Amino acid sequence: MTDTSSQSPAEFWESFYQEREQVWSGNVNGLLVREVADEAPGSALDLGCAEGGDAIWLAERGWRVTAVDISETALGRAAKRATEVGAEVDWRRVDLGESFPDGEFDLVFAAYFHSPVERAGERAGALRRAAQAVRSGGVLLVIGHAGWPSWITEPAHEHRFPTTADVLQEIGQADGGWRVETEEVVESPMKGPDGQDASRVDNVVKVRRV
């Protein structure tokens, strides 16, 4: 296993994406589709956009998308694919542990906002700022893993996966300025690395600023 203890987040994620020519499928997250398909397009901010599948899907449906990631390699792949399909997205390299995009948005979206090199308080701080970036009537959608996939019975390292209650606390839902529209744990079928039938469980939190 690669020792990540001395790597900065930028170094880790650059190495992660440079190991393969394509890491993710390029398909949109089905839970994003489920939660956003009926929303009127407006401005959207995709946090940790990776290779851009979700941001491109939003742009193709009329959203004005700002998509940020810490990895230049991932952003380069995302921009190339967006050009190929004719989708307009504002791609930006941002280290969310150090800064956050300016402005207010109708949709702020974070999917699988987990990192093995997360700095103390980084995730919670970024999600609080994400909540502050949602304009009145807008939506904050956070999708995250709730546990290891079913084929991993003995994880190589310990990791505490945030619960839906953790997410609501991180975004400051208790301040009374939000309406919870989705708070759910979803189990999805998938194929394991050896082609076996498997599943993964995700948390979905969708809140609207009121």
Side-chain angles (χ1 to χ4, degrees):
M1 183 185 301
T2 301
D3 181 11
T4 64
S5 59
S6 63
Q7 290 182 308
S8 69
E11 290 169 336
F12 173 84
W13 289 110
E14 274 303 296
S15 175
F16 177 84
Y17 282 105
Q18 289 176 9
E19 286 178 354
R20 285 182 280 171
E21 291 185 2
Q22 180 176 335
V23 175
W24 311 114
S25 69
N27 298 327
V28 63
N29 186 312
L31 294 171
L32 170 65
V33 175
R34 189 190 77 173
E35 297 296 332
V36 173
D38 293 334
E39 298 285 339
S43 57
L45 175 62
D46 184 352
L47 301 174
C49 65
E51 292 168 327
D54 295 332
I56 290 171
W57 181 86
L58 287 167
E60 288 177 327
R61 279 145 189 84
W63 290 84
R64 302 182 303 280
V65 184
T66 299
V68 306
D69 201 275
I70 197 171
S71 168
E72 291 279 11
T73 297
L75 289 168
R77 293 174 186 171
K80 181 176 183 291
R81 180 160 177 257
T83 298
E84 291 171 347
V85 301
E88 293 188 9
V89 177
D90 180 8
W91 306 103
R92 302 183 191 177
R93 186 196 173 278
V94 176
D95 181 343
L96 292 169
E98 298 180 354
S99 62
F100 198 90
D102 293 331
E104 291 188 331
F105 301 86
D106 298 296
L107 169 67
V108 179
F109 169 58
Y112 309 119
F113 209 52
H114 311 285
S115 174
V117 288
E118 178 184 338
R119 294 164 292 205
E122 183 175 41
R123 172 190 160 91
L127 287 181
R128 281 194 297 272
R129 296 185 73 177
Q132 293 166 3
V134 179
R135 64 167 43 101
S136 179
V139 165
L140 174 61
L141 175 61
V142 181
I143 298 170
H145 294 314
W148 299 102
S150 61
W151 67 82
I152 298 180
T153 56
E154 296 182 3
H157 59 88
E158 292 185 6
H159 181 79
R160 183 183 180 278
F161 293 91
T163 65
T164 58
D166 291 333
V167 174
L168 290 171
Q169 182 176 10
E170 287 169 332
I171 66 177
Q173 185 267 343
D175 67 7
W178 300 94
R179 180 173 70 245
V180 179
E181 297 191 348
T182 304
E183 183 186 358
E184 186 178 359
V185 179
V186 179
E187 183 173 6
S188 302
M190 61 191 306
K191 290 293 183 181
D194 298 320
Q196 71 271 41
D197 290 332
S199 64
R200 183 147 206 169
V201 179
D202 290 333
N203 293 322
V204 184
V205 173
K206 178 184 179 182
V207 294
R208 190 177 302 274
R209 183 178 290 283
V210 296

